[in-house]
Amino acid sequence: MVCCFFEHPLLSGQGLRLHGRLLRYGLLFALCLVLSGCVTQPRVGSDWAQWKPSPNYGPRKANYVILHHTSSATLERALLTLSNPNTQVSSHYLIDRDGRVLQLVDENQRAWHAGESYWGGHTDLNSASIGIELVNNGKEPFAPAQIKALLSLLSEIRSRNKIPRANFLGHADVAPGRKTDPSALFPWRQLAMSGFGLWCDPPYPTPPESFDIILGLATFGYDVRDPLRAFSAFKLHFSPDRGIEFGETDRAMLYCLVGKILTVGRE
Ligand SMILES: [Zn+2]
């Protein structure tokens, strides 16, 4: 573009002065482009770290699956909420009662489904998990077709992401006291029998006197800063039929589950 000025017939006298001014402006413009390019590039390096890029990297993979129920009456209503930019909530997948599966967010991207959360030392489950919403009003049983579709989806997710069996959890597990989904009607045992999550059936091993419930819950993964909330989340997941008290049977089941998470939990 600059070359065309040299070929122009007005390149003499006033024309040359004009050309010189344009050339200066052109150089200034080019400098601005370079500087603005630097500003808009991804932030790399810093005053304290020199940028030495390596080609050996790829997208991060999820290591947890967090399950939810929508509380909405229909898939359409749930979809409106999960795709409205004003709600600031989403999930990777949404499964209808009839087993229809919708994908809303790429698995390699961070969907906004868990919010403030904790599990086993992780304080940002959104960054480490795939979120699945099940259309359910929170009071109804989960439809068999929906659970069948969920199990198929979980198989695919696990094979793609190599997620350990202990890391299939509910929203209530990672946000005790703040969330209560999926509801007590969710078939956690059925999922665990298919390899998604942990479970223990009686007879449970007898825990030693020294086995402490709070330490057990913390070892399993729960946030125990408020022990009552952790008890409630555990009961919702593992023993919703045994009332609200944390009894000896619950203590024995927890002892069994801690043993499993330390042995087969990473498989
Ligand atoms: Zn939820």
Side-chain angles (χ1 to χ4, degrees):
M1 182 145 177
V2 171
C3 296
C4 69
F5 288 113
F6 289 102
E7 293 163 6
H8 200 279
L10 290 177
L11 286 182
S12 62
Q14 191 177 359
L16 271 176
R17 283 196 296 280
L18 179 64
H19 165 254
R21 214 174 296 149
L22 288 173
L23 190 60
R24 280 199 298 278
Y25 289 151
L27 285 171
L28 266 173
F29 181 65
L31 184 63
C32 287
L33 277 181
V34 169
L35 288 174
S36 65
C38 291
V39 170
T40 54
Q41 279 178 4
R43 181 178 165 78
V44 291
S46 67
D47 292 343
W48 44 268
Q50 192 178 3
W51 178 240
K52 289 287 184 187
S54 166
N56 307 328
Y57 65 93
R60 297 182 188 208
K61 288 193 171 182
N63 199 36
Y64 292 86
V65 169
I66 307 298
L67 301 172
H68 308 255
H69 72 234
T70 58
S71 301
S72 320
T74 64
L75 176 126
E76 288 72 22
R77 279 194 76 86
L79 191 56
L80 275 177
T81 302
L82 295 169
S83 53
N84 180 345
N86 296 322
T87 63
Q88 302 272 293
V89 294
S90 62
S91 64
H92 293 88
Y93 295 98
L94 173 62
I95 307 181
D96 204 355
R97 293 179 181 87
D98 64 3
R100 182 155 61 117
V101 181
L102 303 183
Q103 181 166 8
L104 284 61
V105 177
D106 188 289
E107 284 183 11
N108 293 323
Q109 297 296 323
R110 182 178 181 272
W112 302 339
H113 58 96
E116 187 181 339
S117 51
Y118 176 94
W119 188 259
H122 293 270
T123 55
D124 178 16
L125 271 296
N126 276 344
S127 290
S129 68
I130 290 170
I132 302 176
E133 289 274 2
L134 302 162
V135 179
N136 183 286
N137 63 17
K139 302 181 185 80
E140 61 184 313
F142 289 82
Q146 187 179 43
I147 297 304
K148 188 177 173 203
L150 172 64
L151 290 172
S152 298
L153 177 61
L154 292 180
S155 289
E156 288 185 23
I157 289 173
R158 181 172 53 190
S159 61
R160 274 196 296 274
N161 296 278
K162 307 285 184 281
I163 297 175
R165 64 184 299 161
N167 292 1
F168 292 80
L169 302 163
H171 199 183
D173 292 314
V174 300
R178 192 174 69 81
K179 293 291 176 181
T180 55
D181 65 304
S183 78
L185 298 171
F186 187 72
W188 283 114
R189 184 182 181 278
Q190 184 183 350
L191 257 69
M193 294 303 115
S194 300
F196 308 113
L198 299 178
W199 195 263
C200 284
D201 277 325
Y204 306 118
T206 304
E209 280 288 315
S210 58
F211 180 68
D212 182 84
I213 295 171
I214 298 174
L215 283 179
L217 287 168
T219 304
F220 195 60
Y222 283 100
D223 179 356
V224 295
R225 287 175 301 171
D226 183 332
L228 288 178
R229 290 182 170 188
F231 293 163
S232 297
F234 178 88
K235 295 279 294 188
L236 178 69
H237 187 135
F238 293 103
S239 62
D241 300 331
R242 288 203 290 264
I244 57 171
E245 296 294 319
F246 205 96
E248 263 313 302
T249 308
D250 299 310
R251 183 169 173 268
M253 187 181 189
L254 174 61
Y255 180 65
C256 175
L257 287 166
V258 169
K260 285 207 169 182
I261 207 167
L262 297 176
T263 52
V264 299
R266 293 182 188 175
E267 290 178 356

